[in-house]
């Protein structure tokens, strides 16, 4: 910032094992999104190492990062980010198109994941014809479609009412039971309590093994 270096994340040492369901819990400004951007290969750390699925991420260029994102990370955001002019099924199909999955396999996988999130009857709805919770489930179907090694969720229930948020949390449990690795970022200790492990972050420093206050 104006010639001064701002240290947002400090001495982060974090190992996430395959199949884990981890919450990163911290207040506004603590560094959650910065950490998420690094885990999600949207950004690289200034110093230090990041290994994902046996690949060294720190030091990769943008082309390599975008390839890793497409194959390894399923993103779920607070505001869904569905394409409004595409149907639910088309939104879910997109990562499979980018990954050059053949036509028949692609259509079958779209049906499979739409079924997984309980929306087989809404395949041809547009996002604005779906409720917030349904849109988030489409976004989750899209995130899991290409079998990523991590599901990375930033405040996934932030825009939902409590009941709908709980439905999404139940879906996360099912996805984790099926072997999906989930990293969920939140400022809400009640939401974090759904995870099987919680890491707290405060002023860019993480502390482990502390259970949420909820
Ligand atoms: N591009 C940037 N330039 C300068 N400072 C930044 C930049 N991005 C983030 N920061 C600072 O880094 C710190 C952490 O920001 P970050 O967005 O990671 O927080 P957060 O935990 O995600 O907060 P929130 O819960 O509000 O989303 C903040 O103090 C912020 O001001
Ligand atoms: Mg943030």
């Amino acid at each position: 910032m104006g010639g001064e270096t701002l240290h947002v994340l400090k001495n982060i040492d974090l190992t996430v094992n395959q199949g884990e369901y981890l919450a990163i819990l911290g207040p506004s400004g603590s560094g959650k999104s910065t950490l998420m951007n690094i885990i999600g290969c949207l950004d690289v750390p200034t110093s230090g190492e990041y290994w994902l699925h046996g690949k060294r991420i720190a030091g990769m260029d943008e082309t390599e990062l975008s390839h890793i994102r497409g194959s390894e990370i399923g993103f779920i955001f607070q505001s869904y980010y569905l394409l409004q002019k595409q149907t639910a099924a088309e939104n879910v199909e997109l990562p499979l198109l980018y990954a050059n999955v053949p036509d028949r396999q692609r259509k079958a996988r779209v049906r499979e994941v739409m079924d997984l999130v309980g929306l087989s009857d809404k395949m041809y709805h547009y996002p604005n014809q779906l409720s917030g919770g349904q849109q988030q489930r489409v976004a989750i179907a899209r995130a899991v479609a290409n079998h990523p090694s991590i599901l990375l969720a930033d405040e996934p229930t932030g825009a939902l009412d409590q009941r709908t948020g709980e439905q999404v949390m139940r879906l996360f449990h099912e996805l984790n039971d099926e072997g999906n690795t989930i990293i969920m970022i939140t400022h809400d200790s009640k939401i974090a309590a759904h995870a099987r492990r919680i890491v707290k972050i405060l002023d860019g420093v993480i502390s482990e093994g502390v259970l949420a206050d909820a």
Side-chain angles (χ1 to χ4, degrees):
M1 293 288 289
E4 263 190 58
T5 305
L6 199 71
H7 296 278
V8 174
L9 299 175
K10 295 151 198 152
N11 298 317
I12 301 289
D13 182 3
L14 180 65
T15 303
V16 182
N17 293 307
Q18 209 165 339
E20 268 203 274
Y21 182 1
L22 173 77
I24 297 172
L25 173 67
S28 180
S30 56
K32 300 186 298 297
S33 293
T34 308
L35 182 56
M36 169 167 171
N37 288 347
I38 291 173
I39 295 172
C41 304
L42 291 157
D43 204 353
V44 287
T46 323
S47 64
E49 289 285 331
Y50 172 34
W51 289 79
L52 169 61
H53 216 180
K55 297 184 198 82
R56 183 177 175 271
I57 305 299
M60 280 191 177
D61 65 28
E62 183 44 48
T63 312
E64 295 169 299
L65 288 176
S66 87
H67 180 75
I68 294 280
R69 284 197 298 272
S71 57
E72 302 280 358
I73 316 278
F75 289 97
I76 298 159
F77 296 100
Q78 175 170 348
S79 45
Y80 330 129
Y81 288 128
L82 299 176
L83 299 178
Q84 296 298 314
K85 289 184 177 158
Q86 309 230 306
T87 63
E90 286 166 343
N91 270 280
V92 172
E93 193 177 2
L94 215 59
L96 301 171
L97 273 169
Y98 283 131
N100 295 316
V101 176
D103 193 59
R104 280 179 74 183
Q105 232 175 296
R106 217 168 57 224
K107 304 286 185 222
R109 181 62 180 157
V110 169
R111 269 193 302 278
E112 193 174 58
V113 290
M114 285 299 280
D115 191 41
L116 180 75
V117 301
L119 290 175
S120 342
D121 56 337
K122 300 280 193 281
M123 299 263 289
Y124 307 108
H125 282 58
Y126 288 88
N128 66 7
Q129 299 169 326
L130 296 168
S131 72
Q134 289 167 342
Q135 289 183 61
Q136 189 60 301
R137 277 147 64 199
V138 173
I140 293 167
R142 178 183 58 186
V144 298
N146 199 21
H147 304 285
S149 41
I150 304 179
L151 285 178
L152 195 52
D154 193 1
E155 303 282 1
T157 64
L160 303 174
D161 63 50
Q162 197 186 333
R163 212 182 113 252
T164 317
E166 278 162 13
Q167 283 172 7
V168 166
M169 288 298 98
R170 268 200 294 282
L171 183 54
F172 273 31
H173 275 286
E174 286 172 32
L175 290 168
N176 180 240
D177 285 343
E178 285 170 18
N180 289 284
T181 308
I182 303 177
I183 302 178
M184 176 170 70
I185 283 162
T186 183
H187 68 275
D188 184 340
S189 57
K190 286 201 194 73
I191 293 297
H194 286 277
R196 301 191 202 277
R197 175 157 76 106
I198 297 172
V199 162
K200 286 190 175 179
I201 182 164
L202 193 63
D203 290 332
V205 178
I206 59 174
S207 58
E208 284 224 40
V210 197
L211 281 177
D213 318 315

